[in-house]
Amino acid sequence: MEHGPGTVLVRYGEIGTKSSKVRSDMERLLRENLESMLAARDVEAAIDHEWSRILLRTDDADNTDAAVAAACDTFGVVSASPARSVDPTSEAICEALVAAAADHPDGATFGVRASRAGSSERHPFSSRDLEIDGGSVVEAETGATVDLDDPDRTYYVECRAEEAFVFTEKRPGPGGLPLGTQGRAVVLLSGGLDSPVAAWEMMKRGCRIVPVYVDLGPYGGVDHQARALSTVGELARYAPDDDLSLRIVPAGPLVETLMAEVGSTRMLSLRRVMLRIGEAVARDVGAHSVVTGESLGQKSSQTGGNLAATDAATSLPVHRPLLTRDKTDIVDQARAIGTFDDSTITVGCEQVAPSHPETNATPAEVAAAEPDDLFDRVETLLDRVEVVTPEETRS
Ligand code: ATP
Ligand code: MG
């Protein structure tokens, strides 16, 4: 009987470089996160853990595909392969290669790459033998030409002591570290394109996120808020165990004060208010930092000098994962991770920008132009935070 690929090989990278204690904690978390991801998507698969790799055992092809997709959305996973699992004998491996060659693309060249673990007493063949014998059966089956230097398709064989795997694909995962290994960060989420990508980057490195949207009152809009919420919904797909409710902070009256009382540094004061809001929420939820989607020079408020001036408003670290990224690159990533939205709403902040913005302010200049009670007023906003879960708006 022919068996399709029923096992998923899940590889992880950087975790493997850690000391044994850190490594085993991270591996446990990765396994738990994979379980949650599979459960959230109703994918049936049993999880096995081998040295430096996780195996997902599925019982039908649909589950295998879905398990590969789930693994490739799990932070910490470097790649995943749908594989045939067979006895570690040359005959069984060759049979699996023939089965895998059934969908060999017309005219595609190929190579067989084999590795063998376990003693030569156990396996009376070397990895080289497997490559030669495997190459012959695939050639006989497909009539395709071998190209060892740059094959169109590679047939991989991994022969281990108890089991061998045959596969042709290594689908990339996000890499990074398991979600939950790097504490919690507040993300200032605007409803724009950049901040969800920044949030995803933090998640990728293991950080749980607490999204915060600052409602700018008449200078913002319900559409920004709706978009912030819908991106939170997209991010939640990558963190099925986390509560990604959006905290909405009503800053309209504060923005009106800034509009009335502050000139060329107004936008910077608004940024400072946002960072202070982030800091206050961070205190509340036990987060270690505030994250923004800012990128060096993207806007006048994001010049190197102005970023320094805004940072002075908070004692927490401000993380900017997109600092060195170009917009086109950020847009591509937003599409890839599913947070891109075709709508082209003008972002609220634009309406706050003065016509001649300061591009290189000092912290002292910005602070001097601000109302004295600005940050005290930020504290009072926090009693009126609205917490909305993405699900509530989906129904
Ligand atoms: P984004 O950068 O998210 O695409 P944007 O480009 O419209 O939005 P910017 O003016 O670049 O907004 O804002 C810089 C950063 O400030 C954003 O990346 C986000 O982290 C934060 N931010 C801006 N507006 C808001 C808001 N209304 N609520 C929460 N955070 C905000
Ligand atoms: Mg931006």
Side-chain angles (χ1 to χ4, degrees), residues 188-190 192-195 214 271 292-293 298-299 302 347 349:
L188 292 172
L189 206 75
S190 67
L193 200 78
D194 303 319
S195 40
V214 180
R271 297 283 175 226
T292 78
Q298 190 190 81
K299 294 187 173 174
Q302 298 172 25
V347 170
C349 286

Side-chain angles (χ1 to χ4, degrees), residues 86-98 125 130 157 159 164 166:
V86 295
D87 288 339
T89 64
S90 183
E91 297 72 32
I93 290 169
C94 285
E95 260 180 51
L97 282 167
V98 169
F125 49 82
L130 285 176
V157 177
C159 182
V166 171

Side-chain angles (χ1 to χ4, degrees), residues 311-330:
D311 271 15
T314 173
S315 56
L316 283 186
V318 180
H319 296 311
R320 300 182 171 94
L322 309 185
L323 189 73
T324 61
R325 301 271 299 274
D326 291 351
K327 191 77 182 191
T328 48
D329 180 25
I330 299 168

